[in-house]
Amino acid sequence: MHRGVIYALAAAVLFGAGTPFSKTLVGEIAPVTLAGLLYLGSGLGLLAWFIVRTMKPNGQQTDTAHLTAPDLPWLAGAIATGGIAGPVLLMLGLTLTPASSASLLLNMEGVLTAMLAWFVFKENFDRRIFAGMALIVLAGVLLSWEQIPVLGMPWGALAIVGACLCWAIDNNLTRRISASDAVQIAGLKGLVAGSVNLTIALALGFSLPELRMVLAAGVIGFCGYGLSLVMFVLALQHLGTARTGAYFSAAPFVGAAISLLMLGENPGTVFWVAATLMGAGIWLHLTETHEHEHQHEPMSHTHAHNHDAHHHHEHDFEWDDKEPHVHPHRHQALRHTHPHYPDIHHRHPHKH
């Protein structure tokens, strides 16, 4: 299986499991406070990972490319949308929506991510991927419509879809810096977003819960937001934004399955119809193949790499033959044919 697919599915499992576990804390902790604790737990956990990783013996360097000054505006936008607004909207939505339905509604993140990637950031797509997204959209509409007789306007579903839009913007902005250190990106997002959300909660008069709940939220945040985001950024490197979002659409099924087992929810027929539609949409994504002759234009960048078909370059320093390694390098023009995704080396236009 392609490495990027493994990263994306790992991100999906971690994030999907976080939704029902977060639901267990929603009634005990204010939504804004919970969002802050989740992200702060993510940031602190990844900060510890980052520090331990830099303590390599004999002055060895890590095989990752750190963020640079031009990356910071993209990171700031990702933090504002995905790290601050998105989690608050999700926690508000969970107060009005069953966790199983909320988990499936989170599939809208993949759809909105793909729409922005295709029509704003000009990433390529084909009929098969579009058909899969259409099935996921239909399933999301069904789940939202199911709430109307009970709640009037489905405010819970709309809040969750709003969170998905925030994360979709976040995903597309993060793709611009995905060649950099995934732990550094996710850790900074967690620390900043968690601090801001927690400050807002305290300013609104909400108090911190007891230590037991703070620790529980921190652990859920580290796994469901921190480690998940690290895997997601790595997947962006290899798959591009829309495909990563498509594979990530498996997350809600993990969350829904845990919700049914852990919370004892008993969803109706609409839920199962929606689940079937979403499953069919994801299957179309998972079985996609993309191969054609394409042209690589000359480019220079920095990221961890091996000397594969796309990395034939000389070194202007003494190299110890260890791979992967990190240094600024230049790609020469290259034309060839092979199966590929729109990763950091395949962002070329298509004529069809």
Side-chain angles (χ1 to χ4, degrees):
M1 186 179 291
H2 191 280
R3 182 186 303 178
V5 174
I6 296 173
Y7 288 142
L9 292 177
V13 170
L14 288 165
F15 183 75
T19 299
F21 282 102
S22 297
K23 178 73 173 180
T24 63
L25 300 176
V26 164
E28 307 292 335
I29 307 174
V32 178
T33 307
L34 180 55
L37 292 174
L38 289 170
Y39 260 98
L40 201 56
S42 161
L44 291 174
L46 292 176
L47 175 62
W49 180 3
F50 183 82
I51 292 173
V52 170
R53 195 187 60 184
T54 58
M55 299 170 61
K56 285 194 171 184
N58 303 323
Q60 295 178 19
Q61 298 296 314
T62 59
D63 55 358
T64 53
H66 294 311
L67 290 164
T68 60
D71 297 330
L72 298 183
W74 300 107
L75 179 61
I79 290 173
T81 53
I84 297 174
V88 172
L89 286 171
L90 175 60
M91 295 306 112
L92 290 172
L94 286 176
T95 63
L96 301 171
T97 308
S100 54
S101 292
S103 292
L104 285 185
L105 277 170
L106 289 173
N107 256 316
M108 296 304 294
E109 178 185 346
V111 175
L112 295 171
T113 294
M115 294 299 181
L116 290 176
W118 295 339
F119 300 113
V120 177
F121 293 92
K122 306 304 180 183
E123 188 172 300
N124 71 283
F125 67 98
D126 55 25
R127 294 177 183 175
R128 185 184 191 88
I129 291 295
F130 182 82
M133 286 299 181
L135 291 175
I136 295 172
V137 169
L138 179 58
V141 169
L142 284 177
L143 288 175
S144 301
W145 191 263
E146 186 183 28
Q147 294 187 51
I148 291 178
V150 178
L151 301 174
M153 279 295 291
W155 295 115
L158 292 176
I160 293 171
V161 172
C164 290
L165 177 60
C166 289
W167 284 321
I169 297 171
D170 171 8
N171 294 338
N172 280 277
L173 296 179
T174 301
R175 182 196 175 178
R176 302 299 294 262
I177 57 174
S178 61
S180 299
D181 184 358
V183 175
Q184 190 178 26
I185 292 170
L188 286 172
K189 180 182 291 186
L191 289 172
V192 175
S195 299
V196 171
N197 280 329
L198 208 54
T199 300
I200 292 173
L202 295 175
L204 292 174
F206 296 109
S207 58
L208 290 176
E210 59 184 277
L211 181 60
R212 172 180 60 86
M213 292 186 181
V214 170
L215 294 176
V219 171
I220 294 171
F222 175 64
C223 297
Y225 287 76
L227 294 180
S228 175
L229 181 56
V230 170
M231 296 296 107
F232 192 91
V233 173
L234 292 173
L236 286 175
Q237 287 186 23
H238 296 279
L239 302 178
T241 314
R243 269 78 171 177
T244 297
Y247 286 104
F248 192 72
S249 296
F253 290 96
V254 176
I258 293 175
S259 297
L260 298 178
L261 294 173
M262 186 175 73
L263 304 179
E265 295 180 356
N266 186 25
T269 303
V270 172
F271 172 88
W272 294 111
V273 172
T276 301
L277 289 171
M278 288 185 174
I282 293 172
W283 177 81
L284 287 173
H285 295 149
L286 292 172
T287 53
E288 179 220 7
T289 58
H290 184 76
E291 180 177 359
H292 62 91
E293 185 179 54
H294 54 276
Q295 174 73 27
H296 292 270
E297 300 299 333
M299 66 178 296
S300 298
H301 60 178
T302 303
H303 65 97
H305 62 277
N306 297 304
H307 282 202
D308 54 21
H310 295 94
H311 293 91
H312 293 300
H313 53 253
E314 300 296 328
H315 295 82
D316 56 4
F317 57 89
E318 186 175 347
W319 178 40
D320 58 8
D321 292 332
K322 290 184 178 179
E323 293 183 330
H325 61 288
V326 178
H327 63 91
H329 56 276
R330 180 167 178 78
H331 294 268
Q332 301 301 324
L334 173 67
R335 177 174 288 274
H336 60 178
T337 302
H338 64 95
H340 61 278
Y341 294 94
D343 57 25
I344 59 176
H345 295 107
H346 294 91
R347 297 177 181 176
H348 48 257
H350 292 71
K351 296 179 181 180
H352 55 278

